[in-house]
Amino acid sequence: MCLYCGQEATMKKVLMLGTGGTIASEVTPSGLAPALTSAELLRCVPEISSLCSVTCEELFSIDSTNVTPAHWLTIARAIRAHYEEYDGFVIAHGTDTMAYTAAALSYLIQYSPKPIILTGAQKPIVFENTDSKTNLADAFRCAVSDLRGVMIVFNGRVILGTRARKTRTVSLQAFSSINYPELAVLQNGFLMEYIRPSALPAPVFYDKLGERVALMKMIPGADCGMLSYLLEHNDAVIIESFGVGGLPSYQGSGFERVLREAMEAENTI
Ligand code: GLU
């Protein structure tokens, strides 16, 4: 019951989707391996039950190095199937490819008026010294907030899904927001929101992804034959070039020729 208006306070509903990662891992003879379900993770952070009512669904339980575009579609479909029933969504995910999943979901689910939060941890929830519990509680605080769209919540930072990158492998501050401010920060359980991304009354869902996309990272002295190969075997190639887009043009580098030939053949560049 609300003390001010006398109305029955209704708890927000959050759907938690389990996918694996370190946060859900246990120690095995061959190292850490995902083992815990979302319900088991929640039992380790009892305060979440006072924030919202949670429904858990296990989508998969894998190391995120094994996540593929098919997994992104599975997550997006699960959110789409239950979008109307919940106020927010939390996805527990391995950190290694979490930024890729966040970016993919940002394009598969656009203009969401509800928060879709990815989180994980550098240390498993079963460890005595772990960032899992804070990250998970913070993720739920964001999932019941007025934030919207796809975000990563990690180590007290809220990062837009299209801007996140894993920049540290050991530090608890694993993710950075690249060329864009953090949307919000969390300190001792308090959410301070700085930016609210634009949304529509209902999200725009997509359910197809082109998988034949390659990335070529330029290094000094790179062989243009690699670019020819990638163009031949993909529908699109993204070239991570130098500075604002510079490619080698010295005599014999071959990049200009390969690109001109590809354009003439109407390949996508
Ligand atoms: N490679 C594992 C994964 O991404 C461990 C990294 C992590 O979750 O922190 O699932």
Side-chain angles (χ1 to χ4, degrees), residues 20-23 34 62-65 93-97 121-123 166:
T22 290
I23 190 169
I62 58 176
D63 184 313
S64 78
T65 47
H93 195 290
T95 58
D96 285 350
T97 66
Q122 293 284 58
K123 295 182 181 172
K166 187 175 179 187

Side-chain angles (χ1 to χ4, degrees), residues 172-248:
L172 300 186
Q173 187 55 51
F175 291 91
S176 302
S177 185
I178 306 298
N179 295 329
Y180 199 73
E182 287 157 3
L183 302 181
V185 295
L186 292 120
Q187 265 171 16
N188 302 323
F190 289 100
L191 174 66
M192 277 168 287
E193 196 185 328
Y194 303 132
I195 302 173
R196 196 174 287 181
S198 55
L200 291 173
V204 181
F205 288 102
Y206 294 85
D207 64 1
K208 284 192 185 65
L209 283 170
E211 293 191 20
R212 283 165 47 91
V213 179
L215 169 67
M216 175 162 178
K217 183 174 173 64
M218 288 300 302
I219 56 168
D223 182 351
C224 69
M226 200 187 303
L227 179 58
S228 301
Y229 179 88
L230 292 176
L231 284 164
E232 213 174 294
H233 292 87
N234 290 280
D235 297 327
V237 177
I238 297 161
I239 304 173
E240 193 180 315
S241 56
F242 303 124
V244 288
L247 280 179

Side-chain angles (χ1 to χ4, degrees), residues 122-210:
Q122 293 284 58
K123 295 182 181 172
I125 207 160
V126 291
F127 281 19
E128 203 169 319
N129 203 345
T130 176
D131 51 338
S132 299
K133 294 176 186 175
T134 306
N135 286 349
L136 206 53
D138 283 348
F140 277 91
R141 285 187 187 100
C142 292
V144 297
S145 75
D146 293 331
L147 285 164
R148 51 224 200 167
V150 179
M151 290 153 269
I152 287 183
V153 173
F154 208 96
N155 198 39
R157 319 285 167 103
V158 182
I159 300 173
L160 189 65
T162 47
R163 296 294 179 157
R165 183 180 296 169
K166 187 175 179 187
T167 46
R168 296 183 189 90
T169 46
V170 178
S171 163
L172 300 186
Q173 187 55 51
F175 291 91
S176 302
S177 185
I178 306 298
N179 295 329
Y180 199 73
E182 287 157 3
L183 302 181
V185 295
L186 292 120
Q187 265 171 16
N188 302 323
F190 289 100
L191 174 66
M192 277 168 287
E193 196 185 328
Y194 303 132
I195 302 173
R196 196 174 287 181
S198 55
L200 291 173
V204 181
F205 288 102
Y206 294 85
D207 64 1
K208 284 192 185 65
L209 283 170

Side-chain angles (χ1 to χ4, degrees), residues 26 49 80 115 139 170 203 269:
E26 275 183 347
S49 62
R80 185 176 193 169
V170 178
I269 295 174

